[in-house]
């Protein structure tokens, strides 16, 4: 290891130790945290099942940066580069549309065998896998409803798809020896004020009961449910709202998924963690960055990311929280997007682990809010960068912005040589 990195680390360690922070122990803890990196940043949420199908479901990717992955091999190659630039061993989060098979298979008929190549690859790479049914970008979701659709046949199609997805999740967990989280998110909702808010929610509740009917080994698969406030074309009403899934998750022992972009603009998920943790065995996060709306910008080191890290550490929630990422930006190099967002998430957790939590708690208990604020502010300029450099170097990944040269070289050698079709911009869809 570079001598400057080591000596900067030693100096930083001594400073943190003055406030009772054991930096080596913090890094050991950090190395145990897995981030579930989402595959869909690599190809603008297209997948390989119906590649020509427009992205629907009220989500949107904008930008036309060249080099989007067009095949599973390309996506895996891009992921390998991204993971090689991120410290630690992590997980990959797959969506059902990322099937890797020559067979023409429908969503309600997918099986573990259609994902075998992903499993083999994950084993080889030492990665865990998470999973999601894809209840959008499909002919049967074109009018904006899936599990809560009034037509029982269409509803059944999506129920069968979600059931099939859970079995794939369980297969991932069993094969890889790491629990898979299978997260159900559906776009169902109305553009304008509904006449009946209750009926679709009743249908969704009943559909979910069928989806989760079969008991699966929780060591292999854990189910999660993800709420949303609104989407493009579902501005007035979303069937699977936060209150709906809070109730469903708590009543049925499902992980509640909190996506940072799925709430009112002044609402933050960091402030929900401690409350939800008191009533559930586990939580799933979709760390994202909303800008004015659920825009899924790449995660940066903003106040909310720092607060999410703090809440997980201070509430001792790391053991029960599954940390997933959810952003998709097609206006910048997609591998860089993964690296920036994932490194930031890990770095925010490291910063939280380096906070003088005991001293802050003590000050708060004593009503000494002056000390609480003073320490919090001073720690913002403590040398966490030196600790981060050491952690990256120790984990054999590039220090500071050195990773960018590798991404740029890959862009020249690989990404820019890919077909133009793969890089065409994806337009926003609206349910009209
Ligand atoms: C592609 C994801 O499943 C999707 O982004 C979902 O998690 C979501 O957040 C929709 O807004
Ligand atoms: Mn999400």
């Amino acid at each position: 290891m570079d001598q400057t990195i080591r000596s900067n680390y030693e100096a930083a360690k001594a400073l943190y130790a003055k406030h009772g922070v054991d930096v080596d122990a913090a890094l050991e803890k950090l190395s145990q945290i897995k981030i579930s990196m989402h595959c869909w940043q690599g190809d603008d949420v297209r997948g390989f099942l119906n590649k020509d199908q427009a992205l629907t479901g009220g989500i949107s990717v904008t930008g036309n940066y060249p080099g989007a992955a067009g095949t599973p091999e390309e996506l895996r190659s891009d992921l390998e580069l991204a993971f090689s630039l991120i410290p630690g061993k992590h997980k990959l989060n797959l969506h059902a549309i990322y099937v890797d098979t020559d067979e023409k298979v429908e969503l309600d008929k997918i099986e573990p065998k259609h994902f075998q190549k992903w499993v083999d690859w994950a084993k080889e790479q030492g990665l865990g896998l998470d999973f999601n049914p894809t209840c959008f970008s499909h002919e049967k979701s074109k009018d904006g409803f899936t599990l809560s659709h009034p037509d029982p046949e269409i509803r059944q199609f999506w129920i069968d798809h979600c059931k099939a997805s859970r079995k794939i999740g369980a297969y991932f967990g069993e094969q890889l020896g790491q629990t898979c989280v299978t997260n159900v998110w559906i776009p169902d909702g109305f553009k304008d004020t509904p006449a009946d808010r209750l009926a679709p929610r009743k249908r969704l509740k009943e559909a979910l009961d069928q989806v989760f009917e079969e008991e699966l080994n929780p060591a292999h698969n854990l189910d999660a449910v993800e709420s949303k406030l609104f989407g493009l074309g579902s501005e007035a009403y979303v069937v699977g709202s936060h209150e709906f899934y809070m109730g469903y998750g708590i009543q049925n022992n499902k992980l509640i998924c909190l996506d940072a972009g799925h709430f009112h603009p002044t609402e933050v998920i960091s402030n929900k963690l401690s409350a939800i943790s008191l009533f559930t065995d586990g939580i799933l996060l979709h760390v994202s960055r909303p800008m004015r709306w659920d825009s899924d910008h790449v995660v940066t080191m903003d106040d909310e990311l720092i607060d999410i890290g703090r809440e997980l550490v201070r509430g001792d929630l790391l053991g029960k929280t599954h940390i997933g990422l959810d952003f998709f930006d097609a206006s910048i190099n997609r591998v860089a997007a993964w690296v920036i967002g994932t490194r930031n998430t890990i770095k925010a957790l490291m910063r939280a682990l380096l906070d003088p939590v005991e001293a802050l708690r003590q000050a708060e208990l004593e009503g000494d809010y002056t000390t609480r604020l003073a320490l919090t502010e001073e720690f913002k300029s403590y040398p966490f960068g030196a600790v981060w450099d050491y952690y990256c170097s120790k984990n054999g990944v590039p220090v500071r912005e050195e990773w960018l040269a590798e991404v740029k070289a890959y862009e020249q050698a690989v990404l820019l040589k890919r077909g133009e079709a793969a890089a065409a911009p994806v337009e926003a869809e609206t349910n009209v």
Side-chain angles (χ1 to χ4, degrees), residues 226 257 259 262 286 326:
E226 180 179 4
C257 173
D259 184 311
H262 287 191
H286 272 191
D326 190 8

Side-chain angles (χ1 to χ4, degrees), residues 3-287:
Q3 267 323 302
T4 316
I5 292 177
R6 188 177 290 281
S7 60
N8 287 346
Y9 176 68
E10 293 302 334
K13 231 170 98 167
L15 271 177
Y16 282 104
K18 281 190 186 165
H19 289 279
V21 178
D22 180 340
V23 179
D24 286 329
L27 293 189
E28 177 48 36
K29 201 162 185 183
L30 186 66
S31 71
Q32 307 300 318
I33 306 173
K34 286 182 191 288
I35 306 294
S36 185
M37 203 169 84
H38 53 312
C39 72
W40 52 92
Q41 164 62 67
D43 75 332
D44 314 334
V45 210
R46 274 167 206 274
F48 310 116
L49 188 70
N50 301 309
K51 278 169 66 82
D52 299 329
Q53 172 81 49
L55 176 63
T56 71
I59 53 178
S60 171
V61 183
T62 52
N64 56 3
Y65 204 85
T71 64
E73 289 72 26
E74 287 180 352
L75 188 58
R76 285 192 281 268
S77 164
D78 296 355
L79 285 162
E80 279 175 31
L81 175 60
F83 278 122
S84 76
L85 304 173
I86 294 163
K89 272 288 165 212
H90 300 284
K91 293 176 99 182
L92 176 72
N93 196 4
L94 282 173
H95 242 282
I97 46 172
Y98 289 81
V99 284
D100 187 356
T101 176
D102 293 332
E103 228 179 278
K104 182 76 195 132
V105 61
E106 246 313 341
L107 281 177
D108 58 339
K109 301 279 182 315
I110 50 170
E111 291 179 45
K113 66 177 181 189
H114 301 121
F115 293 85
Q116 190 56 46
K117 287 190 196 154
W118 283 109
V119 171
D120 295 342
W121 176 78
K123 274 188 191 161
E124 185 191 294
Q125 301 287 317
L127 295 165
L129 288 176
D130 290 319
F131 200 58
N132 306 260
T134 308
C135 301
F136 52 85
S137 300
H138 192 277
E139 170 64 22
K140 284 193 161 53
S141 69
K142 68 176 190 312
D143 48 9
F145 286 84
T146 62
L147 287 178
S148 72
H149 203 289
D151 178 340
E153 260 177 51
I154 296 182
R155 206 158 66 237
Q156 193 59 48
F157 173 84
W158 293 110
I159 291 171
D160 290 342
H161 171 50
C162 292
K163 283 180 162 182
S165 296
R166 293 181 73 228
K167 289 200 178 143
I168 292 163
Y171 181 72
F172 287 174
E174 183 254 307
Q175 285 288 305
L176 299 169
Q178 290 186 48
T179 313
C180 169
V181 176
T182 301
N183 176 50
V184 175
W185 172 73
I186 59 163
D188 303 27
F190 283 117
K191 182 184 178 76
D192 218 333
T193 313
D196 184 352
R197 290 170 192 269
L198 184 60
R201 289 187 171 136
K202 273 188 171 162
R203 289 195 292 267
L204 176 57
K205 185 170 178 292
E206 282 165 21
L208 289 171
D209 289 346
Q210 290 185 54
V211 167
F212 298 128
E213 204 168 25
E214 185 178 349
E215 288 285 331
L216 297 175
N217 184 343
H220 297 159
N221 182 75
L222 287 175
D223 303 303
V225 285
E226 180 179 4
S227 67
K228 193 162 180 172
L229 177 68
F230 81 94
L232 299 171
S234 59
E235 288 85 356
Y237 167 82
V238 165
V239 184
S241 61
H242 180 52
E243 293 72 14
F244 177 90
Y245 282 125
M246 270 284 277
Y248 194 88
I250 290 171
Q251 195 171 63
N252 297 283
N253 198 22
K254 302 296 167 202
L255 302 178
I256 291 165
C257 173
L258 297 176
D259 184 311
H262 287 191
F263 295 88
H264 289 278
T266 56
E267 242 182 316
V268 282
I269 63 168
S270 53
N271 195 24
K272 300 181 187 297
L273 291 166
S274 51
I276 293 182
S277 75
L278 292 174
F279 302 98
T280 64
D281 292 337
I283 300 171
L284 171 64
L285 297 186
H286 272 191
V287 183

